[in-house]
Amino acid sequence: KLLLGGEHIGTHSEEKRVYEVEDIQEILNIGRTKAYAFIQEVYVKQKPFKVIKIGNIYRIPKASFDRWLDEGTKACLQT
């Protein structure tokens, strides 16, 4: 990635459109093994959010995951 003044150069969008499993691990504060097991389970069901598999690599669309996370947070705040 090339940076100029802290900004990305090129045709890629400024913001990531997909998460990697490591991102999910960090966001949910869970271990690597648990993160992969969770993402594999979600991939099979395609619920509660979408997961894309390319070869052995998983990618999680940010919009789908963020919507699921936001709904869960709202539900917790309402109780």
Side-chain angles (χ1 to χ4, degrees):
K1 295 178 187 175
L2 297 175
L3 298 174
L4 178 64
E7 294 187 25
H8 295 283
I9 299 174
T11 58
H12 293 38
S13 66
E14 292 288 326
E15 190 174 326
K16 286 172 64 168
R17 295 188 61 198
V18 295
Y19 288 126
E20 297 177 18
V21 176
E22 291 77 12
D23 297 320
I24 303 303
Q25 176 184 345
E26 186 176 315
I27 292 166
L28 298 179
N29 195 28
I30 58 177
R32 184 177 188 275
T33 302
K34 189 167 288 221
Y36 271 93
F38 177 55
I39 293 304
Q40 289 168 351
E41 179 182 325
V42 173
Y43 172 72
V44 170
K45 296 178 182 177
Q46 289 297 308
K47 289 183 181 183
F49 51 86
K50 300 290 183 197
V51 175
I52 300 164
K53 187 174 182 185
I54 306 164
N56 290 329
I57 299 170
Y58 292 98
R59 292 294 182 259
I60 300 91
K62 187 177 183 307
S64 179
F65 178 83
D66 289 349
R67 187 170 36 253
W68 169 76
L69 191 63
D70 290 344
E71 288 171 2
T73 302
K74 286 177 190 172
C76 287
L77 293 174
Q78 292 174 356
T79 57

